Amino acid sequence: AKLTLPATLTSIGESAFRGCYSLTSLTLPASLVTIGDDAFHGCYALASVKFPASLVTIGLGAFRDCSSLTSLTFPASLVTIGLGAFAHCSSLTSVDFTAVTDANIGHSAFHDCERLVKVTLPAALSRIDDSTFSRCSALVELTLPTTLTNIGRNAFARCTSLSELTYLP
């Protein structure tokens, strides 16, 4: 099933589509600013999401357990990703923050994304929160931005394949 939301929509509320197991594709309107907590939590078949250029906030657990998502590209407007927003997205292989200058990426945001191989972090990222990428066992290499001042507890715990960590001054 495909979900196309109205062009005038600015916010999706808490648990709005939680557990919509047959949802495979999601088209978010250009006007969307906020995706609420647990909005798409447990939408197991959701394989494709295109975030609009207007998106500022992704709530806690918003896409948790969306086990068919394979890649994510975030818009420049993004400011906040909530706690556990993409936790347990077991098919996720790449996360791209190239367009994002800085963002608050919450605790455990990508926890247990076991197939996550490639992460491109925001260019001016100042902190990586606790357990942000913990148990991302396929993550092989990572480049940390020069603006980074804090790496939280267990941020990369159990990233067993991580073999190259680069800090570019």
Side-chain angles (χ1 to χ4, degrees):
K2 181 180 178 181
L3 177 63
T4 303
L5 298 167
T8 55
L9 193 67
T10 59
S11 179
I12 297 173
E14 183 177 332
S15 299
F17 298 96
R18 184 176 182 159
C20 289
Y21 308 122
S22 297
L23 181 63
T24 57
S25 178
L26 178 60
T27 302
L28 298 171
S31 57
L32 190 67
V33 176
T34 303
I35 297 173
D37 297 349
D38 293 309
F40 297 95
H41 181 164
C43 293
Y44 305 122
L46 184 60
S48 170
V49 177
K50 185 175 185 324
F51 297 113
S54 58
L55 188 64
V56 174
T57 303
I58 297 172
L60 68 89
F63 292 91
R64 181 182 173 99
D65 294 319
C66 289
S67 55
S68 294
L69 280 177
T70 57
S71 67
L72 299 169
T73 300
F74 297 106
S77 58
L78 187 68
V79 174
T80 302
I81 293 179
L83 181 145
F86 297 95
H88 308 290
C89 290
S90 57
S91 295
L92 192 60
T93 59
S94 73
V95 175
D96 187 352
F97 286 97
T98 302
V100 180
T101 303
D102 190 9
N104 178 15
I105 304 169
H107 183 290
S108 301
F110 297 95
H111 168 73
D112 202 23
C113 292
E114 61 194 34
R115 291 192 181 111
L116 186 59
V117 174
K118 182 176 171 86
V119 176
T120 305
L121 294 170
L125 186 66
S126 58
R127 70 177 284 125
I128 297 173
D129 216 339
D130 295 350
S131 302
T132 300
F133 296 101
S134 62
R135 295 183 58 177
C136 291
S137 56
L139 188 60
V140 175
E141 65 179 75
L142 188 65
T143 300
L144 302 175
T146 59
T147 53
L148 196 63
T149 57
N150 188 330
I151 296 176
R153 185 173 41 107
N154 295 320
F156 298 98
R158 298 181 69 193
C159 288
T160 55
S161 297
L162 190 59
S163 60
E164 185 174 332
L165 190 59
T166 306
Y167 170 73
L168 295 177

